[in-house]
Amino acid sequence: MKEFLKNAMQGFSMALADSVPGVSGGTVAFVLGFYDKFINLLNTLISRKGDKKEAIKFLVKLGIGWVIGMAIALIIKAQLKKH
């Protein structure tokens, strides 16, 4: 559970960065120290080498956090436009 929350928060942070013009989620991944792992696991999915199950598990946890973060960012943006 601790690992899930950590990866979800990393994805959440990437989504918040992606919602800001001029800021990249990749930059946040680099600053938080998981960019290399992220890129290597994406490579594992594309290539025929490595443990695809581990890559999928990490990317799903990261993706869940990203979706939640982007949803919250869109809700905040809509509320700011409304008010």
Side-chain angles (χ1 to χ4, degrees):
M1 185 65 165
K2 182 180 175 184
E3 188 70 21
F4 174 80
L5 290 175
K6 177 184 172 190
N7 295 146
M9 287 304 296
Q10 290 170 335
F12 183 85
S13 300
M14 286 177 69
L16 293 182
D18 287 336
S19 67
V20 176
V23 181
S24 167
T27 303
V28 170
F30 179 75
V31 170
L32 294 178
F34 68 96
Y35 182 79
D36 288 336
K37 181 178 182 180
F38 176 61
I39 295 300
N40 288 334
L41 291 175
L42 284 175
N43 185 46
T44 298
L45 282 180
I46 294 169
S47 70
R48 297 179 185 254
K49 302 176 188 174
D51 184 10
K52 293 192 186 311
K53 186 176 179 180
E54 177 192 347
I56 290 170
K57 285 170 57 175
F58 174 78
L59 293 171
V60 165
K61 291 184 266 187
L62 194 70
I64 289 170
W66 190 91
V67 168
I68 292 169
M70 190 55 72
I72 290 172
L74 291 173
I75 290 168
I76 291 171
K77 182 178 178 181
Q79 290 300 313
L80 289 173
K81 278 188 173 183
K82 185 177 177 181
H83 296 288

